[in-house]
């Protein structure tokens, strides 16, 4: 009997990356997605690979994982481009984090001090020095930090390339096929689709992001909630030619090589609401214009809202779940694209060799199993 496939639930950047890594290792893989592959949260992202600019004060494990994933990104992109024959627009210019008033400059100073303490390669720049390196920054910023090691990728190109590479490696993609339930079992867990089809698996990997919630059989898993992010796409036209990713206090801007300039993103706890609102767009445009005033004349080409998948502590869920035969690779929150290489490679290793590496161990779903301590 042919060996049972690994079944991956969810064809976003994480699910496709895991599927690709497993398929190229010779493992049969089937990915189920409720819609079209790569058209969910990953499609709606900005593709920033910016652990240095986005380091959080109490998130050192997450920073270590992010930095490791960034280290793997150039090789991951190169292999993917070779496997798919498609360019993913990996860019290495670095990120500017900027402040436009004394309060935000003080917050930026605290971030910079923390970055320094952690040994990050970042530079504190005067407004003039920042402007020399990125002429499209506002001329009178209060402060700027440059993170030269940060990268970015075109997440939409990435998703197209992952799909091709996965299928070229022999993976099976089942689109428009929602998984209704998962039946855990250590020998062969099974998934059942909404149309009643049953698939036996070697292992089930849940990479369904905010879609995890509706799947029967996974109710006991740590919850993944949606955090809404509204985005605006502008069309960059000469003489406007922003080179770097810029993070201001209220918006970020990510220029892609095909001329799209992504302005994001709000952060809203509103359940599964996907509406684009006047207030959201206003906040983003005002925030972007404060730090890059040259956007005024650019055409707005699209707006949308995505739903980031977040666990209770906003850190990813990576590794064996308490359900036999079910591995989680979800809850990547703001960092799904950045964390795809390390997630894919370490989850593939877990599935193929049974080994939980030091990289994903701190993000084990078991961290939520602990009984609450008495006050
Ligand atoms: N990583 C960018 C965002 O979540 O908006």
């Amino acid at each position: 009997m042919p060996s049972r496939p690994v079944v991956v639930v969810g064809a976003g950047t994480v699910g496709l990356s895991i599927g690709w890594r497993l398929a190229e290792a010779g493992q049969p893989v089937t990915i189920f997605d409720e819609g079209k592959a790569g058209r969910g949260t990953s499609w709606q992202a900005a593709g920033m690979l910016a652990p240095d600019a986005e380091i959080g004060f109490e998130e050192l494990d997450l920073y270590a994982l992010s930095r490791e994933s960034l280290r793997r990104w150039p090789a991951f992109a190169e292999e993917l481009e070779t496997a798919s024959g498609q360019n993913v627009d990996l860019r290495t210019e670095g990120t500017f984090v900027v402040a436009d008033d004394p309060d935000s400059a003080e917050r930026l100073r605290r971030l910079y001090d923390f970055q320094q303490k952690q040994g990050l390669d970042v530079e504190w720049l005067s407004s003039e020095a920042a402007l020399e390196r990125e002429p499209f920054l506002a001329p009178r910023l209060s402060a700027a930090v440059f993170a030269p090691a940060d990268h970015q990728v075109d997440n939409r190109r990435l998703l197209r390339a992952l799909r091709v590479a996965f299928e070229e490696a022999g993976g099976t993609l089942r689109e428009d096929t929602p998984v209704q339930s998962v039946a855990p079992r250590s020998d062969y867990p099974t998934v059942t689709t909404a149309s009643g089809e049953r698939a036996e698996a070697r292992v089930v990997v849940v990479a369904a992001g905010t879609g995890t919630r509706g799947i029967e059989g996974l109710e006991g898993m740590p919850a993944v909630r949606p955090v809404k992010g509204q985005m605006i796409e502008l069309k960059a036209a000469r003489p406007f030619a922003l080179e770097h990713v810029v993070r201001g206090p209220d918006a970020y801007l990510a220029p892609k090589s095909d001329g799209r300039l992504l302005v994001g993103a709000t952060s809203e706890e509103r359940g599964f609401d996907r509406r684009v609102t006047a207030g959201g767009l206003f906040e983003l445009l005002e925030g972007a214009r404060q730090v890059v005033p040259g956007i005024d004349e650019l055409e707005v080409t699209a707006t949308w809202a995505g739903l980031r998948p977040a666990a209770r502590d906003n850190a990813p869920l990576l590794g064996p779940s308490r359900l036999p035969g079910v591995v989680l690779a979800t809850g990547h929150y703001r960092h799904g694209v950045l964390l795809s290489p390390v997630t894919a490679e370490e989850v593939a290793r877990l599935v193929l060799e049974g080994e939980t590496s030091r990289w994903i161990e701190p993000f084990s779903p078991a961290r939520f199993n602990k009984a609450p301590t008495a006050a």
Side-chain angles (χ1 to χ4, degrees), residues 45-48 54 229 231 247 252 264-266 308 333-335:
M48 287 188 305
E54 297 194 323
M231 299 264 298
R247 276 192 81 89
Y252 58 74
T266 61
R308 308 174 183 92
Y333 187 36
R334 315 183 75 96
H335 310 295

Side-chain angles (χ1 to χ4, degrees), residues 45-321:
M48 287 188 305
L49 311 176
D52 287 359
E54 297 194 323
I55 188 171
F57 288 106
E58 290 181 13
E59 295 181 335
L60 290 181
D61 281 342
L62 183 58
Y63 177 71
L65 185 74
S66 303
R67 206 66 188 66
E68 175 60 16
S69 204
L70 181 68
R71 190 188 68 74
R72 298 182 191 197
W73 248 103
F76 183 85
E78 199 182 320
E79 274 182 63
L80 179 60
E81 289 181 345
T82 304
S84 65
Q86 302 200 9
N87 177 283
V88 299
D89 192 24
L90 180 69
R91 295 178 54 159
T92 57
E93 290 92 343
T95 306
F96 280 96
V97 189
V98 300
D100 61 351
D101 62 22
D103 283 351
S104 57
E106 204 180 305
R107 285 198 298 277
L108 187 54
R109 187 81 221 183
R110 279 201 298 277
L111 176 71
Y112 176 71
D113 290 346
F114 178 70
Q115 290 168 322
Q116 290 264 288
K117 219 163 112 197
Q118 302 307 322
L120 274 57
D121 174 22
V122 287
E123 283 178 78
W124 181 267
L125 297 175
S126 66
S127 182
E128 295 73 30
L131 203 56
E132 246 172 61
R133 294 197 206 172
E134 178 46 81
F136 287 88
L137 288 173
R140 273 180 295 283
L141 289 170
S142 302
V145 167
F146 183 50
D150 284 351
H151 298 354
Q152 63 160 325
V153 68
D154 184 327
N155 46 302
R156 295 188 175 179
R157 291 188 187 200
L158 168 72
L159 289 158
R160 290 190 195 102
L162 280 170
R163 180 198 177 116
V164 172
F166 172 65
E167 292 191 312
E168 287 285 313
T172 304
L173 197 50
R174 300 289 310 277
E175 300 183 284
D176 301 313
T177 311
V179 167
Q180 181 164 319
S181 64
V182 173
R185 263 178 84 125
S186 53
D187 48 0
Y188 57 92
T190 57
V191 301
T192 304
T193 67
S195 62
E197 181 189 344
R198 198 169 156 276
E200 290 179 357
R202 169 176 171 174
V203 171
V204 174
V205 179
V206 177
T210 56
T212 313
R213 190 181 283 198
I215 301 174
E216 292 163 23
L218 299 180
E219 293 88 357
M221 297 292 86
V224 176
R225 71 183 197 286
V227 181
K228 176 177 170 182
Q230 300 189 47
M231 299 264 298
I232 303 173
E233 181 190 277
L234 305 176
K235 186 171 165 192
R238 299 261 166 205
F240 183 90
L242 183 74
E243 285 270 322
H244 298 85
V245 172
V246 178
R247 276 192 81 89
D250 300 312
Y252 58 74
L253 301 95
K256 303 300 172 192
S257 300
D258 62 3
R260 292 181 309 127
L261 174 64
L262 303 180
V263 177
T266 61
S267 201
E268 304 167 65
E269 302 273 356
R270 287 179 184 269
F272 285 85
D273 171 19
R274 291 173 187 274
R275 288 172 310 135
V276 174
T277 62
L281 298 184
F282 181 76
E283 177 189 324
L284 293 176
L285 288 175
E286 194 183 37
R289 184 193 205 210
Q290 295 285 352
V291 295
V292 181
I295 63 167
D296 265 15
E297 292 303 318
L298 304 186
E299 184 186 344
V300 175
T301 42
T303 60
W304 62 85
L307 299 177
R308 308 174 183 92
R312 222 163 54 229
D313 57 2
N314 293 336
L317 297 161
L318 305 175
S321 72

